[in-house]
Amino acid sequence: MSSAADTANTDKKAPPAAPRYDTLASRFKKDWYILSSLVGKDFKRKYRRSVLGVVWSILNPVLQMIVLSVVFSYVFRFQLEGVPFALYLILGQTLFSIMASSSSMGLMSMMEAAPLIKKVRVNKYIFPLSKVLFEFVNFGFSFIAVIAVALYYNFNPAEGWTLVASFNLLSIPLVLIYLAIFCSGLSFLLSALTVFFRDVIHLWSVFVLMWTYATPLFYPLAVLPPEFQPFMKFNPMYQFITYMRDIILYGQVPSLRQNLVCLAMALLTFAIGFLVFRFAQRKFILYV
Amino acid sequence: MSKPKTNTQEMETDYAILVDDVTMIFNIASENLTSLKEYFIKLIRRELFFKEFLAVDSVSLKVKRGDVYGIVGTNGSGKSTLLKMVAGVLEPSRGSVQIDGIIAPLIELGAGFDAELTARENIYLNGSLLGYSKDFIHAHFDEIVDFAELWDFLDMPLKNYSSGMVARIAFAIATVIVPDILIVDETLSVGDMFFQEKCENRINALINDHHTTVLFVSHSIDQVERLCKNAIWIEKGKMRMQGDAKTVCEAYRNSQ
């Protein structure tokens, strides 16, 4: 009698079906939704009350490129053989800024999420990843600027005017995947370390500055003393940027060796970052 | 009925919450150790992780399905720590917590609320963090706003809201689902008198109509006595008494 009344009652009120996460796929879907919500939040915050809004993501790299190319090609007189310096610049600079921004934002991601992880149960790996995803979405807009600059110069030393239609552009997603894996690893590692040692915040900003100058972003590799040049191959950012420049600037399909080097660097960084993060994450809540 | 050590499978069918001999240790020394220099100095002096504080010490409790279970104790006795372990926010240092079903933790409301975003955006953001799907939030959006009575201000940034209004939205989002387990930590004291009544009605509806299991913490011993069937009394992290709510509350009252 009473149970019948109960079911009638619940039927009438039609309670919302509570979401259940039994399978791996549904858990992944849940995490993905949180991830995209966080990225959406960051975007809304970034461009709230700005007139141009997301257009800034396109405009910014172009403006930076103009400043840098004026400084380095007119003041320092760096020249590249047969390729436009501005395109050389914007390629290095946009790729490098993915790493620089995602790592310095990822660094703070667990600290930022502190009030959150104290309140709800949520997979912590989402927070550093959200910063990387944010940078890549942002890069999607910046890439419009890169394409615009490439079209402006519409440049290919070998073929002349066939650059944008060429087949080797298909390798671009590959290098972006390598870079994403690399940045995620960095983000995991730095966010975990920052929870325990706030010094990392200060150290990392200096380190990124050093890295910026140690990578041929606005100078050609050839300006370095010959004895330093071989060491450059240990710089992952140099590898990723060279890969991208080979495709767009020189119209080459990157070699298998280049692919393997980039992938190995990315996976190694990811493995270290992920392991440190996984080991440390259960203690986060006590330190943030 | 005697209490044999039932195996896990049996337990899962009878109980919604199983807390088995749980201990939570905090390192007091670690609290102010946030620089590398300090860390290495302490490491060399072997003073690292020296002081330990037992927030919760070997506490076990079993909550049956549909039960309303109270936790009483003075400030700093470990009630909130225990709740957070049940909610899965804190991981116990020792022991295990088993939960069967969906939890709605009303411990600290408004996780992930962002002052710059509008109420509408925050509902989606907070909902996602509570584990709701986009479709689910979409389907129950009106219900949430109705409950919070916020139709006029939906597109205003949250920073312009009063704290009471923020609490209303938070409560509305957290209770829009019908959870299997509801964890309530004095959140009933949000909003004005009328909203408090509304919240209590909602919780009562969950208990009576949907047989939700409730874990309830309050300083108001009368409230615990009124609402709960069973209760546990924790003192300085240790279990003092466990059993029928009336008996436990009576003993707790007499101890003071």
Side-chain angles (χ1 to χ4, degrees):
Chain A
M1 187 69 186
S2 72
S3 73
D6 281 344
T7 42
N9 186 25
T10 43
D11 279 349
K12 202 165 43 188
K13 279 191 78 182
R20 290 191 180 267
Y21 298 102
D22 301 331
T23 64
L24 201 64
S26 64
R27 271 190 227 127
F28 179 77
K29 202 178 154 196
K30 172 194 165 188
D31 284 351
W32 176 253
Y33 181 49
I34 298 176
L35 195 60
S36 53
S37 300
L38 289 173
V39 172
K41 180 195 87 171
D42 283 346
F43 258 97
K44 281 173 194 150
R45 286 195 61 136
K46 187 170 180 181
Y47 293 119
R48 180 136 292 179
R49 277 179 223 294
S50 98
V51 181
L52 290 179
V54 81
V55 176
W56 277 118
S57 292
I58 308 172
L59 220 51
N60 231 337
V62 177
L63 296 177
Q64 281 182 30
M65 176 200 76
I66 292 169
V67 172
L68 288 172
S69 56
V70 167
V71 172
F72 288 100
S73 56
Y74 295 103
V75 182
F76 288 98
R77 308 216 173 265
F78 287 147
Q79 286 303 323
L80 289 158
E81 273 176 47
V83 290
F85 190 67
L87 189 53
Y88 179 88
L89 256 178
I90 199 171
L91 281 172
Q93 171 209 326
T94 46
L95 278 197
F96 195 86
S97 88
I98 294 181
M99 188 285 290
S101 311
S102 73
S103 65
S104 37
M105 277 170 42
L107 184 88
M108 290 302 294
S109 60
M110 285 324 299
M111 305 293 303
E112 212 179 278
L116 233 154
I117 58 169
K118 286 179 182 167
K119 287 179 184 176
V120 286
R121 178 182 206 158
V122 52
N123 285 328
K124 297 180 183 68
Y125 72 86
I126 289 173
F127 300 103
L129 276 186
S130 81
K131 301 300 179 191
V132 176
L133 186 64
F134 174 83
E135 274 314 312
F136 271 86
V137 175
N138 201 37
F139 175 76
F141 293 104
S142 306
F143 201 64
I144 296 173
V146 175
I147 292 170
V149 175
L151 283 175
Y152 175 76
Y153 288 103
N154 206 344
F155 173 84
N156 188 329
E159 303 288 320
W161 294 80
T162 56
L163 168 87
V164 174
S166 69
F167 168 76
N168 54 41
L169 293 185
L170 292 177
S171 324
I172 292 178
L174 272 182
V175 69
L176 292 181
I177 291 169
Y178 302 150
L179 187 60
I181 297 172
F182 181 74
C183 290
S184 308
L186 271 187
S187 208
F188 279 139
L189 180 68
L190 291 168
S191 62
L193 289 177
T194 306
V195 170
F196 302 105
F197 310 107
R198 305 292 137 87
D199 313 54
V200 178
I201 302 167
H202 309 287
L203 278 175
W204 188 250
S205 65
V206 179
F207 191 81
V208 167
L209 185 68
M210 196 186 79
W211 203 348
T212 313
Y213 288 108
T215 310
L217 298 177
F218 34 73
Y219 57 84
L221 183 63
V223 305
L224 289 180
E227 60 269 30
F228 287 141
Q229 287 180 23
F231 291 104
M232 196 54 82
K233 64 171 179 280
F234 299 109
N235 178 352
M237 286 318 292
Y238 171 73
Q239 296 286 358
F240 298 132
I241 290 169
T242 305
Y243 189 111
M244 191 68 138
R245 281 174 178 161
D246 279 354
I247 302 169
I248 294 185
L249 213 52
Y250 301 102
Q252 290 168 358
V253 179
S255 65
L256 181 65
R257 194 189 136 85
Q258 252 178 314
N259 275 297
L260 288 178
V261 168
C262 287
L263 183 64
M265 283 177 158
L267 286 180
L268 185 69
T269 311
F270 186 87
I272 295 171
F274 185 76
L275 288 177
V276 170
F277 191 86
R278 206 181 62 166
F279 173 74
Q281 67 164 342
R282 50 174 298 194
K283 287 197 167 171
F284 282 173
I285 192 167
L286 307 175
Y287 292 83
V288 287
Chain B
M1 227 178 97
S2 64
K3 281 190 221 158
K5 285 261 177 187
T6 39
N7 66 41
T8 359
Q9 272 184 330
E10 252 180 286
M11 281 174 164
E12 272 182 15
T13 53
D14 292 343
Y15 296 101
I17 304 170
L18 273 174
V19 175
D20 186 27
D21 198 23
V22 146
T23 299
M24 187 71 221
I25 303 167
F26 290 119
N27 293 315
I28 296 188
S30 65
E31 297 257 329
N32 43 26
L33 217 159
T34 44
S35 87
L36 275 175
K37 194 180 121 198
E38 271 177 78
Y39 182 85
F40 284 115
I41 291 172
K42 292 247 163 111
L43 190 72
I44 290 162
R45 289 187 181 164
R46 294 174 191 284
E47 283 175 359
L48 209 53
F49 310 141
F50 204 61
K51 266 187 275 177
E52 283 186 346
F53 169 69
L54 279 164
V56 173
D57 188 3
S58 317
V59 172
S60 300
L61 65 97
K62 294 174 187 171
V63 182
K64 280 207 180 88
R65 230 167 267 290
D67 197 355
V68 181
Y69 202 96
I71 303 179
V72 296
T74 49
N75 282 335
S77 56
K79 301 189 299 287
S80 293
T81 309
L82 186 62
L83 275 198
K84 285 185 173 181
M85 285 191 285
V86 174
V89 175
L90 269 176
E91 218 172 305
S93 309
R94 281 197 292 272
S96 73
V97 177
Q98 268 181 295
I99 298 297
D100 189 41
I102 292 159
I103 301 188
L106 302 185
I107 301 179
E108 286 174 67
L109 293 167
F113 271 2
D114 193 309
E116 295 291 324
L117 302 187
T118 66
R120 187 189 301 276
E121 290 161 342
N122 269 305
I123 288 174
Y124 279 91
L125 184 63
N126 181 249
S128 76
L129 286 162
L130 290 177
Y132 305 167
S133 68
K134 194 173 187 172
D135 297 337
F136 179 84
I137 304 172
H138 207 71
H140 300 286
F141 189 82
D142 290 357
E143 203 178 315
I144 294 170
V145 182
D146 273 339
F147 192 89
E149 300 163 25
L150 286 172
W151 282 110
D152 301 334
F153 313 103
L154 260 184
D155 294 303
M156 197 164 84
L158 213 63
K159 62 183 171 191
N160 299 343
Y161 278 55
S162 72
S163 55
M165 279 159 83
V166 173
R168 280 174 179 224
I169 312 175
F171 187 91
I173 305 170
T175 55
V176 70
I177 56 164
V178 174
D180 299 321
I181 301 160
L182 186 70
I183 301 181
V184 188
D185 188 3
E186 326 213 25
T187 36
L188 290 184
S189 49
V190 299
D192 51 35
M193 207 176 72
F194 305 103
F195 193 71
Q196 276 185 37
E197 204 183 309
K198 208 169 162 182
C199 294
E200 228 177 306
N201 288 341
R202 173 71 186 153
I203 291 175
N204 282 332
L206 286 176
I207 297 170
N208 298 327
D209 303 343
H210 304 292
H211 305 290
T212 299
T213 311
V214 178
L215 198 58
F216 184 75
V217 168
S218 178
H219 285 303
S220 156
I221 194 82
D222 300 321
Q223 215 175 9
V224 173
E225 210 167 13
R226 194 171 71 235
L227 278 166
C228 302
K229 289 175 211 149
N230 293 300
I232 183 171
W233 170 17
I234 304 178
E235 196 64 57
K236 294 200 174 101
K238 286 194 175 66
M239 200 261 288
R240 279 285 291 269
M241 202 178 175
Q242 195 168 8
D244 178 64
K246 294 230 163 30
T247 326
V248 173
C249 288
E250 197 57 44
Y252 177 64
R253 207 179 272 126
N254 290 338
S255 76
Q256 289 177 329

